[in-house]
């Protein structure tokens, strides 16, 4: 099977998987294999190849489609629960729209959830509450990545962790999370910086002014001595949280 034929078949399978039940336009084509080039003892008479039912024509295909969709929806709800809670009654339609646009090119749950959150940024109405929660949950997804994604700092330098972020949220982060999960009142505007880092409990806590200064100083790797002299406490707490690397 040629590369272009395989790609066409994979695209057809993906389209059938994400299509809502009963809406697939065409059955998924079966894979055509090249005849063997090995010599045989005697020529075989030409016969019509037996047609086998395609995946879409088999009785178990609707079940496969339903299970695949449920699996992806479960991943999104598990990794972006607060954002989906804020969407309320619009969650199902937005999830369906995302699944129809993204054919499931990744088997990694975190990448799928990040794709959904970015999709919301690009396609949903601008809502400050939704924007802040989806930004926060994107940072949580980054904090869950393995340590191997981080760069190795040169001796004597400080660098930011790729798994950390300092966010300027217009609302108190803990009040925002409690409200989104249905356990509190809608918070009043209260702009404060927050630190998201891999070694923090729950990945988030309020950031101090000094920690915000350190983060802004490290847009590029910087000499450790000068920053440690100016912000010794902030460097220590951020290093403990896994936000900066020494």
């Amino acid at each position: 099977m040629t590369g272009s034929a395989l790609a066409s078949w994979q695209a057809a399978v993906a389209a059938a998987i994400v299509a809502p039940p009963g809406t697939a336009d065409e059955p998924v084509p079966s894979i055509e294999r090249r005849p063997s080039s090995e010599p045989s003892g005697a020529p075989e008479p030409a016969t019509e190849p037996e047609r086998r039912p395609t995946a879409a024509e088999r009785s178990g295909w609707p079940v496969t489609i339903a299970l695949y969709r449920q699996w992806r929806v479960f991943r999104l709800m598990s990794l972006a629960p607060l954002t989906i809670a804020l969407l309320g009654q619009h969650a199902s339609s937005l999830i369906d729209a995302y699944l129809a646009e993204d054919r499931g090119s990744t088997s990694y749950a975190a990448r799928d959830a990040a794709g959904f959150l970015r999709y919301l940024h690009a396609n949903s109405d601008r809502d400050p509450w939704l924007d802040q929660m989806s930004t926060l949950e994107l940072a949580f997804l980054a904090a869950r990545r393995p340590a191997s994604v981080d760069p190795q700092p040169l001796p004597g330098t400080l660098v930011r962790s790729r798994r950390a972020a300092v966010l300027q949220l217009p609302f108190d982060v803990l009040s925002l999370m409690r409200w989104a999960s249905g356990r509190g009142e809608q918070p009043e505007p209260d702009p404060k910086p927050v630190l998201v880092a891999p070694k923090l409990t729950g990945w988030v806590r309020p950031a101090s002014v000094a920690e915000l200064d350190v983060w802004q100083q490290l847009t590029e790797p910087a000499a450790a001595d000068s920053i440690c002299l100016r912000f010794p406490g902030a460097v220590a707490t951020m290093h403990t949280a896994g936000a900066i690397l020494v």
Side-chain angles (χ1 to χ4, degrees), residues 121 128-136 139 160 164-174 176 189-196 204-216:
H121 274 288
W129 303 96
L130 182 60
D131 283 349
Q132 297 306 318
M133 185 54 72
S134 58
T135 297
L136 184 62
R160 291 178 177 181
V166 174
L167 306 175
Q168 288 278 13
L169 300 182
F171 313 103
D172 176 74
V173 63
L174 297 180
L176 179 64
D190 186 17
K192 288 181 179 178
V194 297
L195 175 66
V196 179
V204 65
R205 64 164 171 76
S208 67
V209 174
E211 288 174 331
L212 177 60
D213 287 340
V214 170
W215 190 257
Q216 292 172 341

Side-chain angles (χ1 to χ4, degrees), residues 37-238:
S37 59
E38 296 181 1
S40 58
E44 297 181 0
T47 58
E48 286 291 327
E50 179 184 355
R51 184 183 181 279
R52 297 182 180 181
T54 65
E57 295 171 327
R58 296 182 184 127
S59 60
W61 186 249
V63 177
T64 301
I65 294 173
L67 289 176
Y68 179 79
R69 290 173 64 83
Q70 290 174 12
W71 172 61
R72 289 191 70 190
V73 171
F74 172 77
R75 298 196 310 183
L76 299 180
M77 296 183 70
S78 298
L79 293 178
L82 298 177
T83 298
I84 289 177
L86 283 182
L87 290 173
Q89 62 182 357
H90 303 293
S92 294
S93 60
L94 286 169
I95 289 174
D96 283 344
Y98 168 70
L99 295 181
E101 181 171 301
D102 187 295
R103 301 299 191 183
S105 59
T106 177
S107 60
Y108 294 100
R111 290 183 185 175
D112 206 13
F116 174 67
L117 293 170
R118 295 189 184 101
Y119 174 85
L120 291 180
H121 274 288
N123 294 279
S124 62
D125 295 334
R126 305 311 297 176
D127 180 328
W129 303 96
L130 182 60
D131 283 349
Q132 297 306 318
M133 185 54 72
S134 58
T135 297
L136 184 62
E137 289 199 306
L138 272 171
F140 288 168
L141 291 173
R144 297 169 65 140
R145 291 188 294 176
S148 58
V149 305
D150 277 329
Q152 290 297 321
L154 295 174
T157 63
L158 297 178
V159 298
R160 291 178 177 181
S161 167
R162 292 173 182 164
R163 300 181 292 156
V166 174
L167 306 175
Q168 288 278 13
L169 300 182
F171 313 103
D172 176 74
V173 63
L174 297 180
S175 298
L176 179 64
M177 292 172 66
R178 282 195 294 267
W179 172 65
S181 61
R183 294 183 290 122
E185 299 295 326
Q186 182 172 331
E188 296 294 329
D190 186 17
K192 288 181 179 178
V194 297
L195 175 66
V196 179
K199 295 182 180 179
L200 293 175
T201 302
W203 302 300
V204 65
R205 64 164 171 76
S208 67
V209 174
E211 288 174 331
L212 177 60
D213 287 340
V214 170
W215 190 257
Q216 292 172 341
Q217 293 286 326
L218 294 178
T219 53
E220 297 290 340
D225 290 345
S226 61
I227 295 181
C228 288
L229 286 173
R230 294 169 58 194
F231 308 102
V235 168
T237 56
M238 296 182 80

